[in-house]
């Protein structure tokens, strides 16, 4: 295979231009084409992975699937919080309504290969890099997207529903939609020099 001829200016532009856009910024009832979601997932599949374990797995909710996901997380929240006396109606409504405002909601799943004998941190990092590839692809298409760890991310009851084994991990949800505005969010970072120490000898 010949060495690829990358355009570094475009690489820099997409990395530094990537942004999170949230539900309030979503354009509702105008779905993103599945072919774009498939492209995002294909790019996710090319993330770095130690020992080629490829621990990333995705469950994509769209159409009526969004309601199925929304109902699961809302009703599970209601059941959990009622037992502890911490039920909050606005939280319930948010869990029931927010997924329906997205075009696609992608569950981010880390499935461990225990035979590979890798530190769990490496597998989590591999999945996170896969999600970054999805983020960059979504931004390149001008889409609104964000990765959140709300809802059932850390609920033990969610593991069976998502088909996870005990050693696997639900790592949140990637929401995708068309943006409601043409305005792109401003970015803000502290200078990288504040976070780097060079050791030259």
């Amino acid at each position: 295979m010949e060495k690829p001829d990358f355009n570094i200016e475009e690489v820099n532009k997409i990395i530094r231009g990537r942004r999170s856009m949230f539900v309030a910024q979503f354009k509702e009832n105008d779905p993103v084409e599945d072919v774009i979601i498939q492209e995002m997932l294909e790019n996710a599949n090319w993330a770095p992975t130690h020992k080629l374990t490829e621990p990333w797995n995705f469950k994509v909710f769209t159409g009526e699937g969004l309601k199925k996901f929304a109902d699961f997380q809302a009703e599970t929240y209601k059941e959990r919080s009622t037992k502890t006396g911490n039920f909050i109606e606005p939280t319930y409504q948010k869990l029931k309504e927010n997924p329906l405002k997205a075009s696609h909601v992608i569950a981010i799943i880390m499935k461990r290969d225990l035979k590979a004998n890798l530190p769990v941190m490496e597998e989590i990092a591999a999945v996170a890099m896969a999600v970054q590839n999805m983020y960059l692809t979504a931004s390149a298409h001008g889409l609104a997207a964000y990765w959140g760890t709300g809802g059932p991310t850390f609920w033990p009851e969610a593991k069976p529903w998502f088909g996870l084994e005990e050693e696997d991990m639900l790592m949140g949800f990637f929401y995708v939609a068309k943006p409601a505005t043409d305005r792109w969010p401003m970015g803000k970072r502290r200078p990288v020099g504040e976070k780097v120490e060079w050791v030259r000898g």
Side-chain angles (χ1 to χ4, degrees):
M1 178 178 173
E2 289 187 25
K3 181 180 178 182
D5 183 17
F6 297 117
N7 182 326
I8 190 59
E9 287 81 11
E10 286 300 312
V11 172
N12 290 342
K13 181 179 176 183
I14 188 61
I15 290 173
R16 299 174 195 181
R18 182 214 56 79
R19 296 288 180 269
S20 293
M21 296 174 71
F22 302 97
V23 170
Q25 298 161 291
F26 286 1
K27 183 179 182 183
E28 298 180 40
N29 304 311
D30 188 5
V32 175
E33 297 83 352
D34 282 349
V35 67
I36 294 178
I37 303 300
Q38 187 61 46
E39 183 181 47
M40 289 166 50
L41 296 168
E42 183 66 38
N43 288 345
N45 198 42
W46 286 94
T49 165
H50 191 188
K51 293 189 179 180
L52 295 178
T53 57
E54 303 176 34
W56 47 80
N57 280 247
F58 306 103
K59 194 177 186 86
V60 183
F61 298 93
T62 191
E64 286 299 307
L66 292 169
K67 186 176 187 306
K68 184 177 181 180
F69 168 60
D71 288 347
F72 165 74
Q73 68 170 5
E75 296 310 318
T76 305
Y77 164 76
K78 187 174 189 177
E79 187 177 320
R80 287 169 54 89
S81 58
T82 301
K83 285 179 184 175
T84 59
N86 295 321
F87 178 76
I88 301 170
E89 180 65 29
T91 301
Y92 173 79
Q93 290 301 328
K94 183 178 174 183
L95 291 169
K96 201 169 184 68
E97 295 167 8
N98 275 1
L100 308 182
K101 299 176 182 178
S103 169
H104 294 70
V105 176
I106 305 170
I108 309 300
I109 295 165
M110 185 274 285
K111 290 191 78 70
R112 291 205 74 187
D113 178 356
L114 295 178
K115 295 189 297 292
N117 198 29
L118 291 175
V120 66
M121 183 190 74
E122 292 194 14
E123 301 293 73
I124 292 170
V127 176
M129 286 186 279
V131 175
Q132 173 73 342
N133 286 359
M134 291 166 57
Y135 245 133
L136 295 173
T137 309
S139 289
H141 281 285
L143 297 176
Y146 76 94
W147 181 12
T149 56
T153 301
F154 304 110
W155 299 346
E157 303 95 317
K159 280 196 166 185
W161 200 79
F162 286 94
L164 305 189
E165 301 296 334
E166 184 59 35
E167 66 271 14
D168 302 331
M169 187 178 295
L170 183 59
M171 290 178 55
F173 302 91
F174 195 72
Y175 280 64
V176 186
K178 292 180 182 176
T181 174
D182 289 334
R183 291 177 61 87
W184 199 248
M186 292 287 293
K188 184 180 177 183
R189 292 290 187 275
R190 290 185 290 112
V192 70
E194 295 180 7
K195 310 165 192 175
V196 177
E197 178 185 359
W198 293 71
V199 181
R200 297 189 183 275

